[in-house]
Amino acid sequence: MVLISPFQKLQADLGAVIASFSAGERLPSEPKLAKQLGVSRATLREAMRTFETQGLIRRRQGAGTFVVGQAPILESGLEVLESIQTMAMRTGTSVRVKDLKVETVLANEKQAGKLGVPIKTELTRVTRVIGTADRPAAYLVDILPREFLPVEEFPKKFKGSVLDFMLERGDLPTVARIGVNATSAKSDVAKALEIQRGDVLLRLSSRIYLASDEVVDYSLGYFLPGYFHFHVLGQIQS
């Protein structure tokens, strides 16, 4: 017999409640829902985080919690670095760019180490939110040497991907070093993605190299798990 923990039962019960509402409908208030499910509001909020990161519900400050429905899933293999826009085109999903910010910053110790430049070197920092359906789905940060991409040369009709821009410009990246892990949302990322601080996200970091072994882009991407599926194709050694 499989034993189900109280929290697992709560998630199952909450999932059934969510499934009984149509996309766009508002769920009962937290006090009412907590009473209905027989749990505290704090425990209920913890369970709701799971469904929010899956993209099934969306909490709006002062308005309540709304059912989103099944989110479109963007899938990609990590053997090849590609933009969200490329992933979306493959599945026929529409994505949009919002909160774009392009600025010159001075390299801190970590950025200098990742890009192989001295501390306080001028860098170009590009941040933006990528949305799919009716909500934000990813928060992206690209940091590049200013001499490679000055702020004043940044494209006015930016489509959302620094990698795609580099390829269109004629740059020839040769390799990308990619890392992926789970992380909890910090305040600025949570605000950008309209989630709660501490919610679980997928975090991808990458460094893009030119043929000269020069690092020209250090990027960080924070993704809502319910909207993205990343996989690795492994070879079996005989």
Side-chain angles (χ1 to χ4, degrees):
M1 183 175 68
V2 179
L3 297 178
I4 300 177
S5 70
F7 192 74
Q8 287 175 318
K9 182 179 183 305
L10 170 60
Q11 288 184 310
D13 292 343
L14 180 56
V17 171
I18 293 171
S20 68
F21 285 78
S22 300
E25 288 188 305
R26 185 171 61 183
L27 292 176
S29 65
E30 284 189 2
K32 184 175 181 180
L33 196 54
K35 183 177 180 180
Q36 176 183 334
L37 296 173
V39 296
S40 68
R41 290 179 64 180
T43 302
L44 174 65
R45 288 195 197 99
E46 194 64 31
M48 291 177 75
R49 285 187 176 186
T50 301
F51 294 94
E52 187 169 23
T53 55
Q54 290 174 6
L56 298 178
I57 60 174
R58 183 180 184 185
R59 284 180 281 182
R60 297 175 182 170
Q61 189 68 34
T65 301
F66 295 81
V67 174
V68 175
Q70 184 60 52
I73 297 177
L74 301 181
E75 184 172 359
S76 178
L78 295 179
E79 300 84 7
V80 178
L81 183 64
E82 60 181 2
S83 67
I84 294 178
Q85 286 71 17
T86 299
M87 296 162 59
M89 286 178 60
R90 190 167 54 244
T91 59
T93 303
S94 176
V95 295
R96 55 189 172 82
V97 182
K98 61 175 291 190
D99 299 336
L100 174 64
K101 185 176 182 180
V102 185
E103 59 187 334
T104 299
V105 298
L106 299 180
N108 59 30
E109 185 176 355
K110 181 176 181 180
Q111 294 165 348
K114 294 292 185 180
L115 291 168
V117 299
I119 295 175
K120 294 187 178 181
T121 296
E122 286 192 340
L123 306 174
T124 297
R125 185 173 187 263
V126 184
T127 61
R128 68 276 190 204
V129 173
I130 305 294
T132 178
D134 65 343
R135 66 152 303 150
Y139 178 68
L140 307 180
V141 181
D142 282 81
I143 303 171
L144 310 93
R146 175 177 163 79
E147 62 183 24
F148 181 75
L149 179 59
V151 169
E152 54 270 19
E153 293 183 14
F154 193 79
K156 290 182 171 53
K157 294 184 178 180
F158 182 59
K159 300 176 183 178
S161 169
V162 171
L163 174 62
D164 287 350
F165 166 71
M166 290 167 56
L167 295 172
E168 291 170 2
R169 193 173 71 167
D171 299 313
L172 297 174
T174 56
V175 68
R177 191 180 189 95
I178 306 170
V180 58
N181 64 287
T183 189
S184 57
K186 296 182 292 185
S187 297
D188 58 336
V189 177
K191 182 178 180 181
L193 292 176
E194 300 177 12
I195 59 176
Q196 304 296 310
R197 187 178 65 177
D199 282 358
V200 176
L201 298 171
L202 293 174
R203 177 183 179 273
L204 264 69
S205 63
S206 68
R207 283 182 286 173
I208 298 178
Y209 294 77
L210 293 183
S212 61
D213 291 333
E214 175 189 7
V215 182
V216 293
D217 185 9
Y218 168 51
S219 68
L220 294 169
Y222 300 89
F223 303 86
L224 289 179
Y227 288 82
F228 296 90
H229 179 201
F230 298 105
H231 61 265
V232 177
L233 181 63
Q235 294 184 340
I236 299 177
Q237 187 173 7
S238 58

